[in-house]
């Protein structure tokens, strides 16, 4: 940190298109980045470039350089989720790689304040998500560094992308539904 010294951050993501080496993560993860790298579960580090960012849904698509046929995560159906279903959050919280937490779906269709919106949507200055995003709420621990990581159903399919936690409340996390992510990523 400081003038002239690079600043690094860690976050999470997952390969959703292995043939084209495409990774899905959060927009706030790559916002302002001058360089992006992807580190695989095996520890291989590869440069990546940001193909697209949608700040309204907090999603970003990365292309891993010099990579083909990466193992990809199976995408599930968040519409089939029910409150009380078990879920697993995977990520890289506070620099601890390969971290898994377990919880349940606490609510579906939740609207929350956005951590990445740059415009003011109302006179009070509250920043809000676009109306098209209704989050999956979970009590699976989502900590700094879990952003962009997958939220999995009990069959190991991605049903959400971890994105935020409730301030001033422990055990309340939010994930972008995979149906929204698929639409935006395409």
């Amino acid at each position: 940190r400081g003038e002239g010294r690079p600043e690094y951050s860690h976050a999470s993501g997952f390969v959703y298109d292995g043939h084209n080496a495409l990774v899905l993560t959060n927009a706030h993860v790559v916002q302002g980045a001058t360089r992006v790298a992807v580190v695989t579960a095996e520890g291989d580090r590869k440069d990546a470039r940001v193909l697209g960012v949608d700040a309204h849904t907090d999603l970003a698509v990365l292309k891993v350089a010099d990579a083909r046929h990466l193992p990809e995560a199976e995408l599930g159906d968040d519409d089939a989720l029910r409150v009380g279903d078990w879920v697993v959050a995977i990520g890289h919280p506070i620099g601890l790689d390969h971290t898994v937490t377990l919880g349940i779906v606490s609510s579906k269709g939740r609207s929350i304040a956005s951590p990445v919106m740059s415009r003011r949507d109302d006179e009070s200055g509250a920043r809000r998500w676009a109306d098209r995003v209704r989050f999956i709420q979970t009590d699976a621990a989502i900590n700094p560094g879990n952003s962009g990581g997958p939220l999995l159903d009990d069959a190991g399919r991605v049903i959400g992308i971890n994105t935020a936690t409730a301030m001033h409340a422990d055990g309340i996390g939010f994930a972008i539904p995979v149906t929204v992510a698929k639409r935006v990523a395409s």
Side-chain angles (χ1 to χ4, degrees):
R1 302 196 190 253
E3 275 190 50
R5 295 184 72 190
E7 189 173 318
Y8 299 94
S9 66
H10 295 95
S12 303
F14 61 93
V15 177
Y16 78 96
D17 179 342
H19 179 71
N20 293 304
L22 299 178
V23 171
L24 197 54
T25 190
N26 289 138
H28 75 265
V29 165
V30 298
Q31 185 177 13
T34 55
R35 289 184 57 201
V36 177
V38 171
V39 180
T40 67
E42 297 78 29
D44 296 330
R45 181 186 172 96
K46 300 221 178 248
D47 287 332
R49 65 184 168 96
V50 178
L51 287 184
V53 172
D54 182 35
H56 294 288
T57 56
D58 193 25
L59 291 168
V61 175
L62 310 178
K63 167 78 170 147
V64 181
D66 301 324
R68 288 188 215 167
H69 304 293
L70 296 173
E72 66 187 37
E74 181 181 352
L75 303 182
D77 179 11
D78 58 87
D79 288 331
L81 278 180
R82 296 174 309 190
V83 171
D85 283 352
W86 289 101
V87 290
V88 174
I90 298 178
H92 189 84
I94 60 171
L96 302 170
D97 59 350
H98 306 104
T99 298
V100 176
T101 59
L102 179 67
I104 62 166
V105 173
S106 305
S107 181
K108 290 178 58 179
R110 187 70 75 195
S111 179
I112 63 170
S114 168
V116 297
M117 294 295 286
S118 60
R119 63 180 171 77
R120 292 178 186 255
D121 287 335
D122 61 32
E123 291 181 15
S124 70
R127 294 182 282 179
R128 306 252 175 235
W129 289 100
D131 287 336
R132 64 183 176 207
V133 180
R134 296 289 181 243
F135 292 88
I136 300 166
Q137 180 182 325
T138 181
D139 66 351
I142 297 174
N143 297 298
N146 277 96
S147 291
L151 184 69
L152 308 175
D153 65 13
D154 61 0
R157 298 174 299 231
V158 178
I159 47 88
I161 294 85
N162 304 324
T163 193
T165 59
M167 294 180 68
H168 312 296
D170 290 334
I172 300 175
F174 301 96
I176 302 160
V178 74
T179 53
V180 172
K182 286 191 278 191
R183 186 177 65 244
V184 171
S186 67

